[in-house]
Amino acid sequence: MTKIQDSMTEIRDRAVRSGEGPIENIPNGPGAAAILAAGIGSAAIGVFALGAEVSTTLKGALNFYNPAGPLSGKSTVAIIVWLVAWYGLSRLWGRETVNMGAVNLAAFVLLAIGFLLTFPPFWGLFL
């Protein structure tokens, strides 16, 4: 290594050890946006699954493709909700550092809600 490379490596190592280096300055907002959007999308598919079972009007509206029935609409609309949530949250948190513990907890709760709402025995409480 040359003398300049040695100096740059030493400066970088000192910055990282002191907490002022680039490792500490990376925002986690885009990753948090992706995680929370996945939870929102999961909850959305659960809401649409339950809604299609409860409402014949919604069931008919979600029938985008007859051979698949309302499943085609449930999944399509849930994917749109997921993409819109991901876009909105990534714009909001693009350069931010957010509390990942809270984001992960919220995403897990939304995932559990989505799973519960797609579970047919659970529908019996509403039908």
Side-chain angles (χ1 to χ4, degrees):
M1 277 212 253
T2 66
K3 191 172 187 176
I4 295 173
Q5 288 174 328
D6 288 340
S7 297
M8 293 301 292
T9 302
E10 182 181 332
I11 291 169
R12 187 197 70 217
D13 290 344
R14 254 189 281 148
V16 169
R17 280 193 302 269
S18 68
E20 298 171 2
I23 293 173
E24 297 296 323
N25 295 330
I26 298 173
N28 65 358
I35 291 169
L36 187 57
I40 291 169
S42 298
I45 200 161
V47 168
F48 290 122
L50 178 63
E53 293 300 318
V54 172
S55 169
T56 56
T57 305
L58 183 60
K59 188 174 191 173
L62 291 174
N63 190 1
F64 293 172
Y65 180 64
N66 281 334
L71 178 61
S72 59
K74 293 177 213 175
S75 57
T76 301
V77 175
I79 288 170
I80 291 168
V81 168
W82 163 64
L83 288 172
V84 169
W86 191 5
Y87 176 77
L89 288 170
S90 68
R91 299 287 292 175
L92 183 66
W93 292 342
R95 299 186 186 276
E96 302 291 324
T97 301
V98 297
N99 181 352
M100 284 303 293
V103 169
N104 288 335
L105 178 63
F108 181 75
V109 168
L110 289 167
L111 177 67
I113 288 169
F115 177 73
L116 187 64
L117 292 178
T118 57
F119 195 53
F122 184 75
W123 299 342
L125 299 174
F126 299 97
L127 297 178

